[in-house]
């Protein structure tokens, strides 16, 4: 499952994060690493971006990221 598939209120645990090389480091810096619990807390009116609760911070991510 990808983060973009989460619905508002759903949670998941990150397992083997996979991202394009150009943003992989940025995602790791905000806490998207193995065994991190992520919750989808908000979805924009058009569905992209979505806001996720990651290690106590709310981060908005686009589907392409």
């Amino acid at each position: 499952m990808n983060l973009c598939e989460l619905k508002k209120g759903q949670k998941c645990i990150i397992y083997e994060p996979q991202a394009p090389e150009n943003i992989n480091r940025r995602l790791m810096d905000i806490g998207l690493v193995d065994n991190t619990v992520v919750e989808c807390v908000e979805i924009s009116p058009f569905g992209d971006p979505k806001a996720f609760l990651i290690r106590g911070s709310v981060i908005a991510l686009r589907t392409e990221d």
Side-chain angles (χ1 to χ4, degrees):
M1 173 182 257
N2 293 320
L3 286 180
C4 63
E5 298 173 37
L6 287 179
K7 294 180 173 72
K8 187 175 178 179
Q10 286 186 316
K11 293 181 182 180
C12 71
I13 296 176
I14 299 297
Y15 177 73
E16 293 185 16
Q18 298 176 353
E21 184 68 31
N22 59 340
I23 64 161
N24 191 42
R25 177 68 181 174
R26 189 174 121 216
L27 294 177
M28 288 179 12
D29 287 344
I30 63 172
L32 283 174
V33 294
D34 281 343
N35 298 316
T36 300
V37 177
V38 177
E39 179 182 0
C40 181
V41 294
E42 196 62 52
I43 301 172
S44 70
F46 295 108
D48 191 37
K50 292 183 178 183
F52 299 96
L53 182 61
I54 304 169
R55 299 182 180 263
S57 298
V58 176
I59 307 291
L61 296 172
R62 300 174 296 185
T63 300
E64 66 188 62
D65 294 336

